[in-house]
Structures are given as structure tokens and as C-alpha cells.
Amino acid sequence: SEAASEAASEAASEGGGLPTDASAVTMPNASCSSKPTKKADGKTAKGKKSMGKRAKGKSAAPPEDAHHCFHCQSEGAKMMCCSQCRRAWYCGKPCQKKHWKLHKKSCIAAVAAEARQATRSRVGRKTINTDTCVICIGPVVDSVGLPCGHAYCKGCISELRKHKCHSAQTCPLCRTQLPPGLDGLFDLAFRAYTRVRARVDRGELSWDSLPAGEREEMEDAIAMLREATAQGHPLAPFGLGLLLSFVLKDMDGAEAAY
């Protein structure tokens, strides 16, 4: 045995201290090295599974654009909003028609307030960027000037208003809130004028002494017609002139509107 050990020592010294027999090399235990890998892989798979569960739970939450119907109180993402004030939401036209009597007063008040604000913003502000419409990237056709001073094609602004997202209701350049649309402004004002005019024709009311409620409604109609005129509605100046002469007795303003 002493001879064998001496031979092994001589062989090791001749080979630079490295064993020459492959069987003498101690390899790491394969079973030990694979277990942590499997465990790590299991943790990764488990983590992915838990992330999937969290993602699934998140998608199941109600969407941010979900609204409640103002009439039947049902909730959903595919709701239609009032095209006039854009504050009331409905699940369909039947609910909107049924709720109009309750919504009408607040709708007119909201639109009139926005129209007054838009008119005040226009004072002392010049229209800019009238050559190119940044929506269609072409020359401005039937220019509509906004209170912020930017101008766009009438058709481009009308298409922009049809989108429900909030960014579509702002100026594409400066992100200032868009004023109410000229068609909605004129329709609300004309309906209010028609109702009061019918009662005046029947002798129930007089333009010279309107009750407080009807006078406030006519003043709201005047504010809406001013903004509709500024946006270029063809019939708004005539209606504005009528109300200025009938309600406010402002003959100079009526002549200017005509």
C-alpha cells in the first residue's frame, strides 16, 4: 500500500497536481443542482399564475368610462350622452325622451352658462390660425372660430364633437374646453322662444311683462343665440335680433344682429 501511495504522489507531481484518472474527479451532485432550478421554475410559474389572476381581477372591474343612465339607473360603458350639455347619460333614446322633462331645465341652464363663458372669452381675443385646419391638415373651409382664438373647418369640428372621449371636447391645439355646438345652441334657444311665443300669441303672456321664469329662459336663449351667431349659424342672427327687440328692448343690438 505504501508503494501504491508513493506511485500516486509521483503521478500527481508529474501531472501538475491534477488527477489523471477521470474517475478520481469529484463531480457535483446532479440531483442537488436540479432541485433548486425546479423550485425556482416553480416559483416563477406560480408568480406568473398569480399575476394572471391579478390581471384577470383587474379587467373584471368596471371600466372607467362606465356611466349610469339618468332615467333607469342602469350602468354600462356603451351609454349615449345628451348632445346639448354632455352631462346626462342614457342607455338609449327611449330613456332620454322619458327623462327630458326632468333634464330640460338643467340642460338649458348648463348650455347657457357655457355659452356666456364662451362669449366672454371671445371679447378682446383675435382669431388665429385661420389658414390651415390642424384636424384635416388642409385649408379652413367654413371657418368656425373658437373662444380660445383658434379656427377650424366647420365640418371638422362637427365630427370632433361626435366622439365621447374627453380629449375630443377640447381644442386640438390648446386643449381649451370646446363651447357648446352651434346646432345644439340654436335648437335649445329656438325651442324656448317657440314655447314663450306661443303663450304670447294666445294672450297668456306679454313680452313687456314676462314672469321671472320665462324671462330667465329668454335671457338664456339670447346667450345661446349669441354664441351660435359667433360660430356662424345662418339662422341665429335673426333669432337673436327678435329676442333682443322683444325681451330686452335693445333695438340697436337687434339691428346689429340682423
Side-chain angles (χ1 to χ4, degrees), residues 174-185:
C174 64
R175 295 304 178 190
T176 302
Q177 187 72 23
L178 291 181
L182 74 168
D183 291 329
L185 289 167

Side-chain angles (χ1 to χ4, degrees), residues 69-73 88-90 92-106:
C69 177
F70 275 44
H71 179 68
C72 67
Q73 301 303 315
W89 294 83
Y90 302 97
K93 287 190 176 295
C95 282
Q96 185 179 18
K97 290 180 179 179
K98 293 176 182 178
H99 191 255
W100 172 244
K101 289 184 178 180
L102 296 175
H103 176 59
K104 177 176 66 175
K105 187 175 181 179
S106 61

Side-chain angles (χ1 to χ4, degrees), residues 39-49:
K39 188 176 181 180
D41 293 342
K43 288 183 178 180
T44 305
K46 187 177 180 181
K48 290 181 179 179
K49 187 176 181 181

Side-chain angles (χ1 to χ4, degrees), residues 184-201:
L185 289 167
F186 181 80
D187 290 345
L188 285 178
F190 182 76
R191 290 176 189 173
Y193 166 74
T194 302
R195 285 193 299 269
V196 175
R197 178 62 185 266
R199 297 185 63 184
V200 170
D201 291 344

Side-chain angles (χ1 to χ4, degrees), residues 157-210:
I157 285 292
S158 298
E159 288 297 321
L160 186 67
R161 292 181 185 276
K162 294 179 181 179
H163 298 279
K164 294 182 179 180
C165 60
H166 176 72
S167 60
Q169 306 308 314
T170 59
C171 173
L173 284 174
C174 64
R175 295 304 178 190
T176 302
Q177 187 72 23
L178 291 181
L182 74 168
D183 291 329
L185 289 167
F186 181 80
D187 290 345
L188 285 178
F190 182 76
R191 290 176 189 173
Y193 166 74
T194 302
R195 285 193 299 269
V196 175
R197 178 62 185 266
R199 297 185 63 184
V200 170
D201 291 344
R202 292 195 299 265
E204 300 175 5
L205 298 175
S206 171
W207 290 115
D208 296 329
S209 57
L210 289 176

Side-chain angles (χ1 to χ4, degrees), residues 7-252:
S9 299
E10 292 177 358
S13 60
E14 292 177 359
L18 295 178
T20 56
D21 189 359
S23 62
V25 180
T26 303
M27 299 296 294
N29 191 344
S31 61
C32 295
S33 61
S34 60
K35 284 182 179 179
T37 305
K38 290 182 179 179
K39 188 176 181 180
D41 293 342
K43 288 183 178 180
T44 305
K46 187 177 180 181
K48 290 181 179 179
K49 187 176 181 181
S50 62
M51 290 175 62
K53 288 182 178 180
R54 288 195 296 269
K56 184 177 181 181
K58 185 177 180 181
S59 62
E64 295 180 357
D65 57 349
H67 299 279
H68 286 87
C69 177
F70 275 44
H71 179 68
C72 67
Q73 301 303 315
S74 62
E75 183 180 1
K78 295 183 179 180
M79 292 280 180
M80 57 176 291
C81 67
C82 174
S83 60
Q84 316 290 358
C85 66
R86 306 192 71 85
R87 287 173 168 81
W89 294 83
Y90 302 97
C91 55
K93 287 190 176 295
C95 282
Q96 185 179 18
K97 290 180 179 179
K98 293 176 182 178
H99 191 255
W100 172 244
K101 289 184 178 180
L102 296 175
H103 176 59
K104 177 176 66 175
K105 187 175 181 179
S106 61
C107 181
I108 293 176
V111 174
E114 291 184 4
R116 289 188 177 95
Q117 179 60 38
T119 300
R120 288 193 294 267
S121 300
R122 291 179 187 275
V123 176
R125 182 170 293 176
K126 296 181 179 180
T127 301
I128 55 179
N129 297 333
T130 56
D131 296 331
T132 303
C133 174
V134 300
I135 299 177
C136 64
I137 316 299
V140 177
V141 180
D142 293 334
S143 176
V144 174
L146 300 181
C148 61
H150 298 111
Y152 304 95
C153 300
K154 180 179 178 180
C156 292
I157 285 292
S158 298
E159 288 297 321
L160 186 67
R161 292 181 185 276
K162 294 179 181 179
H163 298 279
K164 294 182 179 180
C165 60
H166 176 72
S167 60
Q169 306 308 314
T170 59
C171 173
L173 284 174
C174 64
R175 295 304 178 190
T176 302
Q177 187 72 23
L178 291 181
L182 74 168
D183 291 329
L185 289 167
F186 181 80
D187 290 345
L188 285 178
F190 182 76
R191 290 176 189 173
Y193 166 74
T194 302
R195 285 193 299 269
V196 175
R197 178 62 185 266
R199 297 185 63 184
V200 170
D201 291 344
R202 292 195 299 265
E204 300 175 5
L205 298 175
S206 171
W207 290 115
D208 296 329
S209 57
L210 289 176
E214 281 71 15
R215 184 175 181 83
E216 181 181 0
E217 191 175 5
M218 290 297 94
E219 289 176 353
D220 288 344
I222 290 174
M224 290 185 284
L225 287 174
R226 285 189 192 276
E227 179 59 23
T229 299
Q231 293 188 34
H233 195 286
L235 300 179
F238 179 75
L240 177 60
L242 287 178
L243 289 182
L244 288 175
S245 60
F246 290 161
V247 180
L248 301 183
K249 308 302 180 184
D250 183 3
M251 305 310 296
D252 292 337

